[in-house]
Amino acid sequence: MAYANVDGLRIGYDLIGDGERTWVLTPGGRFPKETPGLPELARALAADGNRVLLWDRPNSGGSDLRFTGPSEPRMQADTLAALLTELDLGPAVLAGATVGSHISLLTAAHHPEVVSGLSLWWISGGVMGLMILANVYYTPAITAAWTTGMDAVAALPDWAPLLDRNERNRRQVLDQDRDAFLATMQRWMAAYCPRPGEQVPGLPDELARAITVPALVFRGGASDPFHPRATSEALAGLLPNARLVEPPWGDREYLDRQAERESAGGLFVRWPLLAPALRDWAREALG
């Protein structure tokens, strides 16, 4: 793993392949770039003469923590734009899923100079999907800080691995002012609240309409309440140059991967199935 210094942060990344077109893969959760399925998809894309950036977002993997910005995805989008600039890799095709799709869209909206295209799947949305995300990401940290203190935050399952990999992160959490931390977590949690005129949190529909790069949007599953079909279809309708396509798996893909994540290798293990559609679209839409 290599590291880049970006806006005072140490960001871990891997660069696979040496082609002219750059892809960036961004998952959701706090999954690191080594999560099964991500490197395999990167290698499948690189085999077609591309270079692929895998990166650990701030607050994930081996990268530093950062507790700034109106929302965590917006902070990570700003970091991605700075990383692409620092590494001289833009403009790039941003490929993302779950909250990674939000990060990719926010990067395109606020930093269009580093983006040449978008590929999006498992797009988080809907009232239940967004409220569950807010709860998963922030409720444990808020509860631990409020009722016990920052030592309890450092011991949480979501945070402890990040601190074990990076001693700077441990010091930052333990030295964090509790009230300032609570204010950030609650601001970030509130950013996920569904709002009229926003298919994606923090991205007003009028701003989505201004994203003019080619986009490939994979339709969500009708059975998936976390990444609703309606969200994927509405987003494809907002993006001026989007193509809405069927994914290379069945309607219950996310639910099945979630149910089998311990026995079958994790949520992302079948993502390499996306590679042929991604490569074909890029050749046609991006030249």
Side-chain angles (χ1 to χ4, degrees):
M1 176 166 57
Y3 291 94
N5 292 315
V6 177
D7 293 340
L9 295 176
R10 188 179 73 158
I11 300 297
Y13 71 93
D14 289 324
L15 195 58
I16 298 173
D18 57 3
E20 293 186 2
R21 175 174 291 128
T22 300
W23 293 75
V24 181
L25 298 185
T26 307
R30 303 204 186 280
F31 292 103
K33 58 184 176 54
E34 301 90 358
T35 302
L38 285 171
E40 291 81 3
L41 176 55
R43 288 193 289 269
L45 289 172
D48 196 40
N50 298 292
R51 57 186 175 183
V52 184
L53 178 68
L54 293 171
W55 67 302
D56 282 338
R57 294 149 290 145
N59 307 340
S60 72
S63 291
D64 285 349
L65 303 181
R66 172 158 282 180
F67 301 114
T68 61
S71 72
E72 192 171 20
R74 175 62 191 275
M75 176 272 290
Q76 292 169 338
D78 293 343
T79 303
L80 175 56
L83 177 64
L84 287 169
T85 300
E86 173 67 22
L87 299 178
D88 194 24
L89 292 176
V93 184
L94 308 188
T98 68
V99 174
S101 65
H102 298 183
I103 295 165
S104 300
L105 285 160
L106 290 167
T107 305
H110 295 284
H111 306 280
E113 71 281 359
V114 302
V115 181
S116 61
L118 292 165
S119 298
L120 311 169
W121 62 97
W122 288 358
I123 303 163
S124 304
V127 173
M128 189 182 83
L130 295 179
M131 291 295 89
I132 286 176
L133 274 180
N135 180 62
V136 167
Y137 279 131
Y138 306 118
T139 294
I142 291 170
T143 302
W146 212 322
T147 61
T148 306
M150 298 308 296
D151 285 346
V153 174
L156 289 171
D158 266 6
W159 293 99
L162 311 182
L163 312 192
D164 291 341
R165 292 183 64 170
N166 186 332
E167 187 60 31
R168 296 190 341 169
N169 287 343
R170 183 177 303 280
R171 293 197 304 271
Q172 183 176 353
V173 168
L174 295 178
D175 293 345
Q176 180 94 196
D177 177 80
R178 187 193 73 131
D179 290 340
F181 179 78
L182 283 169
T184 299
M185 292 296 102
Q186 291 180 90
R187 181 175 70 251
W188 285 1
M189 188 176 195
Y192 278 95
C193 290
R195 293 174 175 84
E198 265 188 21
Q199 288 298 324
V200 169
L203 184 71
D205 290 351
E206 61 268 23
L207 193 55
R209 293 188 183 98
I211 298 174
T212 58
V213 296
L216 183 67
V217 178
F218 290 92
R219 195 189 307 271
S223 301
D224 185 350
F226 310 107
H227 317 99
R229 173 165 291 184
T231 298
S232 63
E233 293 174 341
L235 181 64
L238 289 170
L239 299 172
N241 290 311
R243 180 184 303 172
L244 181 67
V245 298
E246 299 298 327
W249 42 58
D251 181 72
R252 291 181 52 85
E253 175 69 12
Y254 179 80
L255 301 179
D256 290 344
R257 298 287 74 73
Q258 186 74 263
E260 300 171 0
R261 60 188 301 178
E262 298 300 328
S263 61
L267 284 174
F268 309 150
V269 290
R270 282 161 51 87
W271 281 12
L273 294 174
L274 294 161
L278 295 175
R279 293 194 304 256
D280 291 347
W281 164 78
R283 282 193 292 266
E284 180 181 343
L286 304 175

